[in-house]
Amino acid sequence: MSKIDIKNLTVEYSDKNHSFKALDNVSFSVELGEFVSIIGSSGCGKSTLLSILEGINSPTDGKILIDGNPISGTGFDRGVVFQHYSLFPWMTARNNVAFGIKQAKKELKKDERLKIADKFLDKVGLEEFKGKYPKQLSGGMQQRVAIARALAMDTDILLMDEPFGAIDAKNRTILQELLLSLWEESKKTVVFVTHDIDEAIFLSDKIIMMSTRPGRVYKEIRVPFKRPRNRSEMIGLKEYSDFRNKLISLFYGDIVDKIGGSKVVL
Amino acid sequence: MTVQKRFLRVTNILFVVLMLVQLLPDKVSSETHTTYLIGFAIVLEVLALAASILSKNENGLNLSLDIIGFLYALIIVWTLVTAKFNVLNEALFPPLGKVFWQLIQDIGKIYVNIKSSLEIIAQGYLLAVVIAIPLGLFLGWSVRLGNAATYISKFLGSIPPIVYIPYGIALLPTFRSVSVFVIFLATFWPVLASTMSGVLNVDKKTIDSAKVLNVSKPTMLFSVILPAALSQIFIGCNQGLSVSFILLTSAEMIGAQYGMGYYIKQYSDFGDYTRTIVGLLVIGAVIMLISFLFNKLQGYLLRWKQ
């Protein structure tokens, strides 16, 4: 039994005249402690897929099993980091984390919650910024707080919807490394949505590549690099560039197929 | 800032002019109580000097000195056209010294009347806010009820609350309870409407990030939706507050035995326009103070927005 089993998921939006399949018969599974990235160009339904995993949306057809039990709605077994607006702007960084802990662990007293919040904010390197409101933090810092909150809630599964999509390139690599080290320490099961191939390779055990209109699983690729990973070492390997090229040709190959094969020059 | 910038100001020159003007002989028959006017001007000048010494930023200092300067100019003109040259009707336009003197004579009476007015406002207003906000959160959150409620509150809210007064008098035993009732209505509808629209305008992403934290329904309403909608809710609260003052003072002029509206109406009926002006100034000062405190509260509760 896998940690997460996604079975024949279909999502169809329809109005009077049109119906549109955002997801078409999507199936894959995620093992316990595995880091899985879902990659695809915009419109491939990767965010729709994640919102169903989060429990915010429900599928037209198919189901998701966690530990063998079908999910309905949100649950305490899943923590979520969005690209934007994960944090509540009226709460300080510390209270945002403590608020998450309060929902997940009602038995804890307030000072215990704050203590855990502090611990996780320290882990993401925000010792100095605990009392700041989200508006006073940079985008990268806000995502650190969101990660700290998701980790502090101590859920089995971490769902991340393009969490670094709006972060500048330099900070993005720093955050990727931070996430990886935190993941190696906590051994959570992670489903990570991205459109960045390098990000997916560096972070994941497995990459689910999706194709557009309708959203389908196009390829499931295992990432062959050993852990713990070191970015600069990895980038130097011939295997890395081969693997990356293979992914890119798959990625763009899919697009070429969709819009008219070899006649189109990209 | 240089010493010149701090102290060599038009405001200070106006203060000297104001003092010199007082040296002119009075042309009116009644007592002008000039000492009270001078006392008031000295208090203002002490404030101006304190601001000049203590202020660290130039814009802030400019603002306070400009305000005081305007007051001086107004006092100078007022003194010239009343006490000194008697251009205006003496009974309708009393010299300012007399107004300040009257204010101090009546301070006990004024206190009782303000207290009565503010108690009524506080009761009606707070009761309305305490009921309208949770109700608005609940109605705004449940889409179906909210849609229906919007139409109903639009209709009921469009009735000017003052027209409830005659019916209120028939329904309720005392003037006081009628006033509380009318202020309640005047506040309830705008607060309910602004709360409901505030809830509808909360960003879906904010709601989603609360949902994925598995918040309970009360937590969703009071810890997420309420703060997210708060700046919109304050719009209704502000509106309710200003309408409440208009209503209460009008109502007090109709049928009360206490209150600031009563104070003004009573003395203007007797032709005592000095006290009428005292009443106007006091009401202005009280409302300004309350809206200042209200804005402070709003700024504090929405401090995360800056």
Side-chain angles (χ1 to χ4, degrees):
Chain A
M1 186 177 64
S2 304
K3 184 68 188 170
I4 306 174
D5 259 315
I6 294 168
K7 290 193 167 168
N8 311 103
L9 222 52
T10 298
V11 174
E12 206 170 338
Y13 298 114
S14 56
D15 55 26
K16 278 176 201 148
N17 309 315
H18 302 279
S19 75
F20 163 69
K21 268 188 179 170
L23 291 178
D24 183 22
N25 204 17
V26 169
S27 299
F28 64 91
S29 56
V30 181
E31 302 308 317
L32 180 68
E34 201 174 24
F35 197 123
V36 172
S37 287
I38 301 172
I39 187 166
S41 42
S42 44
C44 72
K46 56 190 193 294
S47 288
T48 306
L49 172 58
L50 206 70
S51 73
I52 294 166
L53 256 172
E54 285 153 6
I56 293 173
N57 288 327
S58 39
T60 318
D61 205 4
K63 58 187 171 181
I64 295 180
L65 306 177
I66 290 179
D67 296 322
N69 304 311
I71 61 162
S72 61
T74 59
F76 288 116
D77 46 3
R78 284 154 281 157
V80 179
V81 179
F82 294 109
Q83 183 176 8
H84 290 297
Y85 305 107
S86 293
L87 303 178
F88 301 115
W90 55 89
M91 294 181 195
T92 59
R94 193 181 198 214
N95 286 338
N96 259 295
V97 179
F99 182 80
I101 302 169
K102 186 179 176 184
Q103 310 314 316
K105 299 179 177 179
K106 298 211 166 51
E107 69 282 4
L108 291 182
K109 290 198 193 71
K110 192 178 178 193
D111 54 329
E112 293 172 310
R113 295 198 297 261
L114 289 175
K115 221 171 146 185
I116 300 176
D118 284 348
K119 190 179 99 183
F120 280 92
L121 284 167
D122 290 348
K123 279 192 185 194
V124 297
L126 290 179
E127 296 89 343
E128 317 270 304
F129 300 92
K130 288 170 187 162
K132 298 276 186 209
Y133 290 100
K135 263 218 164 143
Q136 300 168 307
L137 301 172
S138 69
M141 287 176 175
Q142 290 181 20
Q143 290 310 74
R144 284 172 192 249
V145 179
I147 292 170
R149 180 170 73 188
L151 290 175
M153 290 173 71
D154 200 21
T155 54
D156 294 352
I157 298 168
L158 204 54
L159 305 173
M160 307 183 88
D161 191 357
E162 299 194 43
F164 309 141
I167 311 289
D168 64 88
K170 187 182 166 212
N171 273 305
R172 190 185 307 177
T173 61
I174 296 171
L175 283 170
Q176 286 163 358
E177 272 152 33
L178 174 72
L179 175 64
L180 213 51
S181 72
L182 291 170
W183 171 75
E184 270 156 11
E185 184 188 319
S186 65
K187 281 294 166 200
K188 293 195 185 303
T189 307
V190 180
V191 179
F192 188 100
V193 166
T194 180
H195 56 252
D196 178 340
I197 289 179
D198 294 297
E199 183 168 77
I201 302 174
F202 179 58
L203 295 173
S204 331
D205 298 313
K206 186 165 82 183
I207 296 174
I208 309 285
M209 193 177 279
M210 291 186 64
S211 62
T212 35
R213 287 177 210 282
R216 287 185 181 137
V217 173
Y218 178 64
K219 282 272 162 17
E220 214 176 298
I221 307 134
R222 193 145 285 285
V223 180
F225 304 103
K226 272 198 212 86
R227 295 187 190 269
R229 288 180 189 160
N230 175 311
R231 190 192 303 268
S232 46
E233 269 176 29
M234 236 172 98
I235 289 174
L237 295 174
K238 178 158 189 313
E239 290 88 335
Y240 178 83
S241 50
D242 289 349
F243 184 70
R244 186 172 182 275
N245 287 338
K246 186 179 125 197
L247 279 189
I248 288 175
S249 61
L250 279 172
F251 195 45
Y252 290 107
D254 164 52
I255 294 173
V256 173
D257 287 348
K258 291 276 159 207
I259 58 179
S262 54
K263 275 173 266 175
V264 178
V265 180
L266 282 171
Chain B
M1 274 181 281
T2 62
V3 176
Q4 278 186 347
K5 265 196 175 160
R6 278 183 191 274
F7 296 105
L8 203 68
R9 294 279 192 160
V10 177
T11 300
N12 295 327
I13 297 166
L14 282 172
F15 175 71
V16 176
V17 173
L18 194 158
M19 286 300 161
L20 291 175
V21 164
Q22 305 308 322
L23 295 176
L24 296 169
D26 285 341
K27 260 202 176 169
V28 290
S29 50
S30 62
E31 175 61 59
T32 54
H33 298 284
T34 305
T35 42
Y36 284 86
L37 176 58
I38 293 174
F40 179 71
I42 288 174
V43 171
L44 280 183
E45 186 59 17
V46 168
L47 289 176
L49 290 175
S52 306
I53 294 166
L54 299 173
S55 179
K56 289 189 183 73
N57 109 15
E58 201 175 330
N59 288 335
L61 179 59
N62 285 346
L63 177 64
S64 17
L65 288 185
D66 289 351
I67 292 171
I68 292 173
F70 268 116
L71 287 175
Y72 285 156
L74 192 72
I75 293 171
I76 291 169
V77 172
W78 187 277
T79 309
L80 288 176
V81 297
T82 59
K84 301 306 174 189
F85 294 107
N86 199 8
V87 183
L88 298 172
N89 183 329
E90 201 185 324
L92 285 173
F93 298 96
L96 269 180
K98 201 173 166 193
V99 173
F100 293 131
W101 170 79
Q102 190 70 64
L103 171 67
I104 289 169
Q105 298 304 307
D106 273 9
I107 203 85
K109 212 184 271 179
I110 288 169
Y111 171 75
V112 172
N113 285 312
I114 290 178
K115 190 162 164 269
S116 158
S117 295
L118 291 186
E119 275 171 8
I120 291 172
I121 296 239
Q123 286 174 12
Y125 185 78
L126 292 179
L127 191 66
V129 167
V130 165
I131 296 175
I133 292 178
L135 190 64
L137 290 175
F138 176 75
L139 290 175
W141 184 238
S142 67
V143 177
R144 258 182 79 177
L145 285 178
N147 279 341
T150 306
Y151 287 101
I152 290 171
S153 79
K154 265 195 185 138
F155 170 68
L156 290 173
S158 66
I159 301 170
I162 199 155
V163 304
Y164 287 109
I165 291 179
Y167 188 45
I169 291 171
L171 282 178
L172 296 162
T174 58
F175 172 78
R176 198 191 159 88
S177 51
V178 176
S179 307
V180 171
F181 168 68
V182 171
I183 285 169
F184 173 84
L185 289 175
T187 310
F188 183 81
W189 297 114
V191 175
L192 183 72
S194 70
T195 306
M196 277 165 51
S197 80
V199 175
L200 293 176
N201 287 328
V202 173
D203 198 320
K204 188 179 173 298
K205 288 169 183 154
T206 302
I207 294 172
D208 280 349
S209 48
K211 273 188 186 160
V212 299
L213 297 178
N214 289 290
V215 297
S216 63
K217 193 171 175 185
T219 308
M220 180 63 109
L221 283 185
F222 291 100
S223 303
V224 179
I225 303 286
L226 175 61
L230 197 59
S231 55
Q232 192 121 24
I233 293 174
F234 261 109
I235 295 173
C237 292
N238 255 316
Q239 195 190 334
L241 193 62
S242 50
V243 176
S244 293
F245 275 104
I246 297 172
L247 274 178
L248 181 66
T249 42
S250 328
E252 282 170 346
M253 290 198 279
I254 301 171
Q257 263 97 52
Y258 288 108
M260 285 317 293
Y262 164 74
Y263 180 93
I264 290 177
K265 179 75 167 73
Q266 183 201 16
Y267 287 115
S268 65
D269 282 350
F270 286 128
D272 186 345
Y273 296 108
T274 307
R275 282 186 161 114
T276 305
I277 292 175
V278 167
L280 298 180
L281 294 179
V282 168
I283 289 180
V286 168
I287 294 179
M288 205 173 87
L289 178 69
I290 288 174
S291 37
F292 173 77
L293 295 175
F294 190 83
N295 286 338
K296 282 276 163 208
L297 176 72
Q298 182 173 355
Y300 175 74
L301 291 176
L302 297 175
R303 61 193 179 284
W304 48 272
K305 284 213 153 187
Q306 274 111 48

